[in-house]
Structures are given as structure tokens and as C-alpha cells.
Amino acid sequence: MSIYIFIALLNGICIVISRTLNGKLAQQHNAFYSSLINHFVGFLFLTIMVLIFKIYLFNFNEIPLVAFIGGIIGAFFVIINSYVLPLLGVMLTSILAICGQMISSLVIDLVNGAHSQNVYLQLIGVVLIIGGVSIHFIRRTN
């Protein structure tokens, strides 16, 4: 189990580094350019990995069209992060993104009937994050 925790932490580090680099690129050009470069390089990397390891994971005929919405949302996510990060900073952008993830995942779990014993603790966590971000904005405006 600890290896999965380590991998999840490493994933978080990669996300912050990626956001920072995309934000810098967006400052030099624009958010759409940054997103294009991000996805083009990712496409090349995955293509090379598939060719090296000869991994053919899918048949396009078997994939429902709704599955491609994730790619559209991912591109939109990168564009938004590239645009917002230079304005808000890495930490605040990350906290707000995590807050949005927590709220939407909690709503999705509740709508899908995946009731947890810890719903109240999850709600308290969301409220604390929103409160912390609010305090940050209040201090910044005063």
C-alpha cells in the first residue's frame, strides 16, 4: 500500500511542476499555445512509449464517443491552469483546483449513491479549505 501512496505523492509533484512550466510558457506566449505544446509533447511521449513497448491498448471501434470527453476536459484544464497560474501563483491555483476536485467528487459520490461513513468529515474538509482560501483573499485585499 505504501508504494501507491508514494506514487500518488509523486503524481502531485509532477502536476505542480507541469503547472509551473505551463504557466511560464503561457506568460511568454499564451494559454492556448502552452496547452498545445503540453498535449503535443504528451502525444509524442505516449506514441514513443507505445512503439517501444509494443503496447496496443485499444481498438478505436470499441471506444464509445463519450470516452473522448475526458481529453477535451483535460485540455481545458491545462488551458485554465496556464492562464490562471501566473495571476494567482502556484500554491493558490493548486489549492483552488484541489478544492474544486473535492467538491465535485463529493457531489458525484452523493449523486451516484456512494455514501460514505465520512461524508460529514469530507464536508468539513471542503469548508476548511474554502475558509483558508477566503482568509488568504481577505488578507490580500486588506
Side-chain angles (χ1 to χ4, degrees):
M1 184 68 150
S2 61
I3 187 70
Y4 300 118
I5 294 171
F6 174 75
I7 292 171
L9 289 172
L10 184 62
N11 184 40
I13 292 168
C14 289
I15 290 170
V16 169
I17 292 171
S18 174
R19 284 180 181 165
T20 304
L21 294 173
N22 287 333
K24 295 281 186 192
L25 187 58
Q27 282 180 317
Q28 293 176 351
H29 296 282
N30 62 47
F32 288 102
Y33 179 83
S34 172
S35 181
L36 176 67
I37 296 300
N38 180 341
H39 286 87
F40 181 72
V41 170
F43 172 76
L44 287 178
F45 175 74
L46 287 174
T47 301
I48 291 168
M49 295 302 285
V50 166
L51 293 174
I52 288 174
F53 293 108
K54 298 191 183 347
I55 302 170
Y56 301 101
L57 302 174
F58 54 85
N59 179 0
F60 278 111
N61 297 331
E62 297 173 0
I63 301 173
L65 287 177
V66 72
F68 292 100
I69 293 174
I72 295 168
I73 294 170
F76 190 60
F77 174 78
V78 172
I79 291 169
I80 290 171
N81 270 300
S82 298
Y83 178 73
V84 170
L85 188 126
L87 302 171
L88 297 179
V90 177
M91 189 168 88
L92 189 55
T93 301
S94 297
I95 289 172
L96 290 170
I98 291 169
C99 186
Q101 289 172 2
M102 288 181 63
I103 292 169
S104 60
S105 61
L106 183 61
V107 168
I108 290 170
D109 281 349
L110 291 174
V111 168
N112 288 334
H115 298 289
S116 171
Q117 297 173 345
N118 301 322
V119 171
Y120 295 113
L121 290 176
Q122 292 168 337
L123 286 171
I124 290 170
V126 169
V127 169
L128 287 174
I129 290 175
I130 292 171
V133 171
S134 299
I135 290 171
H136 177 78
F137 277 121
I138 290 168
R139 285 186 182 169
R140 189 179 259 189
T141 57
N142 289 336

